[in-house]
Amino acid sequence: MELDRTMPRRSARQLLKDEHGRVDIKSFDLPSLTRWMVDELGANEGHALRLYKSIWQHGARSFDEVDDVAKPIRKLLAERAYIAFLTPMTVLRSEDGTVKYLWTLEDGLTIESVLIPDGERLTLCISSQVGCAMACTFCLTGDLGLKRQLKISEIANQPLQIGRQLPEGERITNIVLMGMGEPLHNFENLVSALEICLDENAQNFSHRKITVSTVGLVPRIAELAERLPVNLAVSLNASSDAQRREIMPITSKYSVEELLEACRKFPLRRGKMITFEYVMLKGFNDSLEDADRLVDLLAGVRAKVNLIPYNENPDRDLKRPADETVVAFQEHLVGRHLNATIRVSRGRDISAACGQLGKASRRALDAEWLRVARDIAGLPAL
Ligand code: SAH
């Protein structure tokens, strides 16, 4: 987008105030909101809780809607704070029911969320950063580099805004942090945003239904467990240190062994397991020897493996293995008592599949604009 280049870049911290100096009230967790309202507005705890409920349970758009807070406080709120929302830019619908939402942020950058219906489940895949710093070689989001961290409001608004525009009777059942970005690299904002998702006074999701997916920022894995009771998914993607280093630079910082040690220590509730994502790349990590090494690596970890056949794209020469290879790999793991499933790729026609967010969306977006432009001009679709 033009805006990307012309607007001065501001950090997430700088964006906590708008151009009038009003604070982004949705980037406060409840304790900070309470403190701010007491200190700055002379309000009390009850006011803060009612405001918090109003913005996160009822999606209030203006302080006038918060009618259980006294008028003079509402007036002060309107002067000193604003209620942030993501600006919807485009919604792309896949033939398979997957929906991709593109949002514009306050500084003109864009992010994406993907809604995936799957039987009884309605899973929302959300972003935690604009771009990503991890530079995994196979992932297109990595090509963007890290543009900036998302604010608390920008993370927590994704489920709020999508949830509120679903048809009557439908609701988001699961949230996965598998969109753009490395969630544990935006740790404090992630934790606060997920608290807002979990809090019964806010979005009230069950901790059993929220999964944080990471490349494996080792020290953060233990910290996450201390802070929140959510599920963990680890993008392992390789069966040895040397192999993983080739595709995931983070491996030079934290070895596979250190990563798995952190996973062994990760406290899991009864019946829970850590998901290990394994992107399958043809001729690279798809042999039965890889499968054997994977079984050995994951010994002693309560693990289930999710095999993701690579989503091919024009920007990479990488290929997905043949279906038979993927199935043989899975059967080999299962034969050695390792729980393994194959992820069905969703939303490929709208570039919503794993690893396609960010860069590819621009192309999808261009295609969408082209379609709309041709439509307006009365031209047939290409
Ligand atoms: N940074 C986090 C969250 C992103 S999740 C993480 O790495 O876990 C994105 C998932 O999609 C990761 O498991 C990644 O390995 C996988 N992925 C990335 N590009 C892919 C592609 N082109 N095809 C299939 N999976 C891909």
Side-chain angles (χ1 to χ4, degrees), residues 125 128 132 134 136 138-140 177-183 212-216 233-237 248 277-281 308-313 343 353-356:
C125 174
S128 55
C132 183
M134 297 299 124
C136 301
F138 50 85
C139 176
L140 293 185
L177 268 293
M178 295 185 188
M180 288 168 83
E182 166 50 45
V212 173
S213 178
T214 177
V215 297
V234 173
S235 297
L236 187 56
N237 297 341
M248 299 183 73
E277 292 153 291
Y278 191 94
V279 176
M280 292 192 70
L281 299 164
I308 318 177
Y310 185 66
N311 291 310
E312 294 175 11
N313 59 75
R343 187 180 295 177
C354 297
Q356 304 199 325

Side-chain angles (χ1 to χ4, degrees), residues 336-349:
R336 293 197 55 194
H337 311 292
L338 182 56
N339 184 335
T341 50
I342 300 171
R343 187 180 295 177
V344 178
S345 159
R346 303 287 303 268
R348 273 209 270 172
D349 53 336

